[in-house]
């Protein structure tokens, strides 16, 4: 737990107050030592109404430019639509703010590259992309074990992002905007694989998919179940699976295989420590959505970002252990998009894509 | 697996062809190398009709005396009603047969003692009581680990025998004859506890119970859920639980705790290696009855008995490892009944019973 | 998560800054919306030094009387030695404070009764005893399922508190002061059993024990492994196990069995969602101590207490769901001590104790 | 279990008495009702010496032609080197024998096709290729659940064959002869996938691999870890993983995902029902090799083959349920080789291979 949280708190402004934005806002308001939620921003009146009662005394803006113009803010927290991320990050950097931005950086590789390029001019400012799995205590424990040599040299990651089926197929309408299943879901697994394997660059990918339930996806060239292989430099490998049609819940798991053992994270997506014994057998209920599964990760991610920026502000260094858990950089996010984009092209062409 | 199965096969006659008797008969007929099912016996015409089609060429008798008079038989296999066991064992010994008898030896301690006494005159003949758990591969593996020192010095066993609820309460009618839940069910756990703890003698027991569903048991002084504590010489302990009202299946499990670790056997009563992921969660189906759970144990128990008797006949010795797995002796069965009977008295009086 | 946390925050003063006290203090300081850690108290200079750096601006006292005299405080939080609890609760009530007190209320039944009696005069003040398992998300989920009828009528609880062995036997010296294994450890299981079974009164108990490793306990009449049976009114039952000699970690688990199913909480004491596959097999690391196992529970417990008191202060009612999760009352704590004390007497006499 | 096993027993001759051949021979000799192990054949004197003591009265041959010339035999059981399978099957058919042959049919697609072609002339004779997983009770249970609609329409199989690392790399020398990891290991998973998905034809495959430990494989174009994707007609998919470098044991598992649920078989490769709790955590030991994992499957496979041939001989039909469990046909084996061969080519070229 936090030891010494004295010193000036970090003043944060959240942009975007949808479901995930509200969680971030409340975490920053009440559960992140060293941070003050000083402002929030949304173009939607409903969001601002919610903010007035659910958040502590916080300045509210309807326009992102106003938020950036708030000189009291040290950092902005972007939980806005994905299509806005790249531009908003650049604007925030130019306004002198540290930036936390939900994934993805952008669905467009070139746009990712432009942000990376631009950010080089602002090396004094922290920019973190929200690949929250890195902060999940179990993922982090596996990462630490890996670094400690528990399984020898890791060479293969298997990782999946599988969502409970939504019979309404609400997500079908967003397929075009989401970039498809690999850029929307697998991008998390790509980041996990690179993080666990030492951040190698991908050399070749292959993808295939099936439409199991949501026929409407076909017109977007998308699928509701996708599988993929990714080869990295140095002979490392990853296998990915993404699904939007699970019957039992959100089943997010990863496995890293090394020369002396393997580590699996979340193999059975049990909600908690309760087991039920009844006519259905011996069973565990499953985590319904990524919200329940990664509730702690979203909080720890926020605490880590705040700690990192405060260490910059206070001129202190974070320990090596803390470094290990640091979030995804813009370069990581660029690479995740580059691989996800190649998977999409492989799915469409039926051919392996060389990177 | 069997190595050399040459030499004269053991000729076995089965007495009792109810559900469990039929299983024993088929095992002996088809699955026990070195044994020949030479005869079977039942007073019920239905059983004999079944035997004519389901068993290979086998002499059939309607009377136990006829079976014993069959001079070609080396051994008899008693799967008869419990009340007959003691007398039939003695008669079989007097007729020169080796004897396998299903548990219990008797519900009456004095009668058990008489059989033990009588059997001393027939030390050349094998008598084994069918506490089949000792032959279940998992129980046996735990036993071997224990002997190899894997958990230090064992001092506590927790063991349970829990049956799927039978809504018809068929078993209620047999409560009087069964000796109640501790003599009918817990007797298995008592034998397991003594076997795993080095066959100590019990010094004091305490029992309590509840009638959860089957009110009819009250008139017999019986319960459908019973809990018990058993103290052994040398400061060793056991806790028992027996139930006839499980919703999920037959849940038979045991745990042995030592000074350097613990071993649990059958903690989740999964039927097999299949896991189901659906709207009920992540689940395993459970073993419905002891028949499915201990199918292998019944077979291995028969193979071990036959191997032991053939070793006597052939004048060869069984190895130490095989010895370790040998079945319960009459003395073991006497002690199990003595403890089970004391538990019944404790349940009735609400007082600890000193042995 | 918290919805509206406006309104005056609750000002809390913590008494006792040992290991557990520090955790409570930090929770109240940083992680409990609606609470302000306004003061802390310890007679030890080391504790106060720690508080000066680890806690936010907090008034520090070396004397409990000073803390009670601090008129700005709404509530006191007692994490002091057990022997002081009863008297300190009474003094806090007389000083007009709401009180949270770590378990146990007292090891002496008569003293518990005196506190209960005295507290009747202060019905406007909240008093909660810290049986934190009630606030563990898994225990709470089981409780909710039980109330929703998921397993029919519950009639049997099995519950255990098993600690990782401390080879130094540090705890042996405290055996006399702790009241022995049943009053120190099993008291949690007693509270869980009563909570899950509808708060029945105990009618009879029986206990036995073994000294597996720590011979020094014998002079205190204590054991390092204890087993017990508790009968409640209405034919309900509980089995308890407590150990101080586990090889694998803190293994705290409970099971509640009903007429239509069973719920197990914490059956495998896995630390997190990581599984390791290596030469030792397929394994999960285990929670080392109750600190890691119940980290969330300590926090939620504090949040619930603060929410409850603030609802009193603001004249609002807590919802039924929240009520369900409310902590142990003084009456609950009295009953837990009464049963634990009877178990201790049963262990010493070898006889069942009727309550 | 067997019901009526009267009628003439099937006389079987085993060819090949290596490790697996010996197991088949002993199963047929002692554990398959309705079968007689009448002859065995091996060119190695050691094997015949073993057979003289370990098998019952059995005619022994050193030459396969002699075995085929034994007119008393109804069936031959081929457990010979893979390179001989195709020719030996054809010869056995021409000699009028029913044939059971261990997998693979052949590593060469054209040769597989020739055997299929030739076998059309002998439709009265049973030919089964030994993909034993179909007979494993857990695989079979999953298959039955699938057919009963338990998970809706199945569309994705994930399946793996992972062996405990052999530090000596004994298998490296056999890489050329084995056809590489996909034809040697994944061929089982291919058969499982097709069996569970309704025997669809493959349309496109992609493979990649890594050499984690056994550098010697590179000269054969082989890898010690391989991953693959297989697309089938009708939009069905499979993902495969094969490894020769596991630290924990033989980890063979499969998962079938449908529109209404998923079934996993063997997700944790636990040896038995024993769990160990010690300083390493809570753990299960893992099955060391496929021999232990599939001991039952090899036996049930033999029982099923014998039952099927005897039903032909006796002019009786096997029930639908039994049909469901019947073994792989020559056509299945051809398709498995075709896919495995395409995976090998994909691995070598880095391109998807269209079938």
């Amino acid at each position: 737990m936090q030891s010494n949280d004295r010193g000036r708190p970090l003043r944060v402004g959240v942009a975007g107050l949808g479901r995930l934005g509200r969680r971030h806002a409340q975490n920053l308001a009440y559960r992140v030592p060293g941070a003050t939620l000083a402002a929030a921003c949304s173009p939607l009146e409903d969001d601002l109404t919610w903010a007035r009662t659910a958040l502590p005394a916080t300045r509210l803006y309807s326009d992102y430019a106003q938020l950036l113009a708030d000189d009291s803010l040290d950092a902005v927290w972007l939980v806005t639509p994905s299509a806005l991320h790249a531009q908003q990050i650049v604007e925030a950097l130019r306004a002198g703010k540290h930036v936390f931005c939900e994934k993805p950086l952008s669905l467009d590789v070139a746009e990712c590259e432009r942000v990376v390029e631009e950010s080089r001019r602002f090396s004094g400012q922290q920019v973190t992309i929200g690949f929250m799995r890195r902060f999940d205590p179990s993922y982090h424990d596996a990462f630490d074990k890996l670094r400690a040599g528990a399984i020898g040299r890791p060479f293969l990651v298997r990782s999946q992002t599988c969502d409970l089926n939504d019979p309404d197929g609400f997500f079908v309408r967003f397929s075009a905007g989401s970039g498809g299943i690999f850029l929307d879901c697998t991008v998390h697994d790509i980041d996990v694989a690179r993080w666990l394997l030492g951040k190698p660059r991908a050399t070749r990918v292959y993808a295939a998919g099936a439409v199991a339930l949501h026929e409407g996806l076909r017109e977007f060239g998308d699928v509701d179940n996708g599988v993929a292989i990714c080869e990295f430099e140095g002979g490392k490998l990853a296998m990915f699976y993404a699904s939007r049609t699970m019957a039992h819940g959100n089943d997010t798991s990863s496995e890293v295989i090394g020369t002396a053992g393997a580590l699996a994270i979340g193999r059975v997506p049990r909600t908690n420590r309760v087991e039920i014994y009844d006519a259905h057998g011996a069973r565990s209920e499953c985590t319904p959505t990524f919200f329940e599964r990664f509730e702690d990760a979203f909080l720890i991610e926020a605490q880590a970002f705040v700690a990192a920026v405060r260490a910059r502000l206070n001129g202190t260094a974070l320990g090596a252990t803390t470094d290990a858990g640091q979030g995804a950089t813009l370069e990581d996010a660029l690479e995740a998009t580059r691989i996800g984009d190649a998977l999409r092209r492989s799915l469409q062409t039926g051919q392996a894509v060389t990177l």
Side-chain angles (χ1 to χ4, degrees), chain A:
Chain A
M1 193 185 285
Q2 58 284 352
S3 50
N4 187 338
D5 284 300
R6 297 183 172 179
R8 191 170 72 70
L10 190 75
R11 289 179 296 254
V12 183
V14 170
L17 292 171
R19 188 180 173 205
L20 187 54
R22 292 179 185 192
R23 167 162 296 189
H24 279 297
Q26 288 190 308
N27 278 344
L28 289 161
Y30 300 112
R31 301 173 72 191
V32 179
T36 297
L37 181 69
C41 167
S42 169
L44 303 178
E45 187 51 38
D46 272 4
D47 288 349
L48 298 175
T49 301
W50 172 85
R52 279 183 202 102
T53 58
L55 300 177
T58 305
R59 288 185 294 284
L60 299 180
Y61 302 108
S62 57
D63 184 46
Y64 182 60
Q66 296 173 310
L67 190 79
L68 291 187
D70 184 333
D71 284 344
S72 78
L73 298 181
D74 301 302
V76 296
W77 207 271
L78 299 173
V79 204
T80 50
S82 299
L84 305 178
H85 290 174
Q87 184 58 30
Q88 288 182 330
I89 290 171
V90 170
E91 290 171 8
L93 287 172
R94 291 175 182 168
K97 313 299 190 197
H98 302 277
V99 185
F100 176 95
C101 180
E102 262 303 315
K103 71 97 201 171
L105 170 51
S106 166
L107 302 179
D108 182 77
V109 175
E111 192 174 43
C112 290
E113 287 169 337
R114 283 195 296 275
V115 178
V116 169
E117 183 65 26
E118 177 78 9
S119 73
R120 298 236 163 86
R121 297 175 42 220
F122 303 96
S123 62
Q125 288 159 251
Q126 178 88 14
V127 188
T128 297
I129 305 299
F131 286 107
M132 78 289 189
R133 284 192 209 168
R134 298 185 181 200
F135 296 95
D136 173 72
S138 295
Y139 274 90
H140 208 280
D141 180 37
F143 183 82
D144 288 345
K145 285 186 164 59
L146 205 61
R147 299 239 301 197
I151 60 166
R153 184 178 59 82
F155 61 88
L156 171 59
V157 164
R158 296 195 284 185
S159 191
Q160 71 178 40
T161 300
C162 296
D163 282 326
L164 185 64
N165 185 51
D166 171 6
D168 294 339
F170 186 71
F171 69 94
V172 175
R173 272 168 274 163
F174 297 95
S175 174
S178 75
I181 198 164
F182 294 117
L183 277 162
D184 194 32
C185 299
T186 305
V187 75
H188 279 292
D189 303 292
I190 294 168
D191 183 67
V192 161
R194 290 186 65 252
W195 180 58
L196 294 175
L197 292 174
K199 300 204 176 181
R201 282 181 66 87
T203 56
R204 187 166 45 195
V205 303
Y206 183 77
V211 174
L213 287 173
H214 300 280
E215 292 292 329
L217 290 170
R218 294 191 195 274
E219 69 174 282
F220 303 104
D222 199 5
V223 292
D224 54 19
N225 280 264
V227 296
I229 288 172
C230 180
E231 294 164 79
F232 295 101
E233 58 189 2
K236 294 176 178 177
L237 293 169
M239 298 180 83
F240 301 125
Y241 174 42
S243 174
R244 303 197 190 267
T245 64
M246 291 289 106
H248 59 291
N250 175 275
D251 193 340
T252 295
S253 70
S254 302
E255 186 181 4
V256 54
I257 299 169
T259 49
L263 300 168
I265 306 137
R267 198 169 248 219
V268 176
R270 49 177 75 85
T271 296
N272 54 26
R273 294 177 187 268
V274 175
E275 289 170 3
I276 308 169
Y277 295 80
D278 62 12
H280 299 296
R283 61 194 174 103
S284 301
E285 291 183 335
C286 296
T287 45
T289 78
F290 76 96
F291 253 60
E292 291 80 17
R293 173 62 185 88
F294 292 105
E295 180 174 347
D296 285 351
F298 283 117
L299 175 60
I300 297 169
E301 164 186 77
Q303 292 169 340
F305 178 87
V306 168
V309 177
R310 293 183 79 214
R312 284 177 184 257
L313 295 177
N314 299 335
T316 57
L318 283 168
T321 309
T322 314
D323 272 338
Q326 286 313 299
T329 64
L330 287 172
E331 287 78 7
D332 292 332
L334 161 60
E335 188 67 12
T337 294
R338 193 197 310 275
I339 296 172
D341 180 67
L343 289 174
R344 184 180 54 179
R345 285 185 285 135
S346 178
L347 175 68
Q348 287 166 355
T349 63
Q351 299 301 317
V353 172
T354 301
L355 288 156

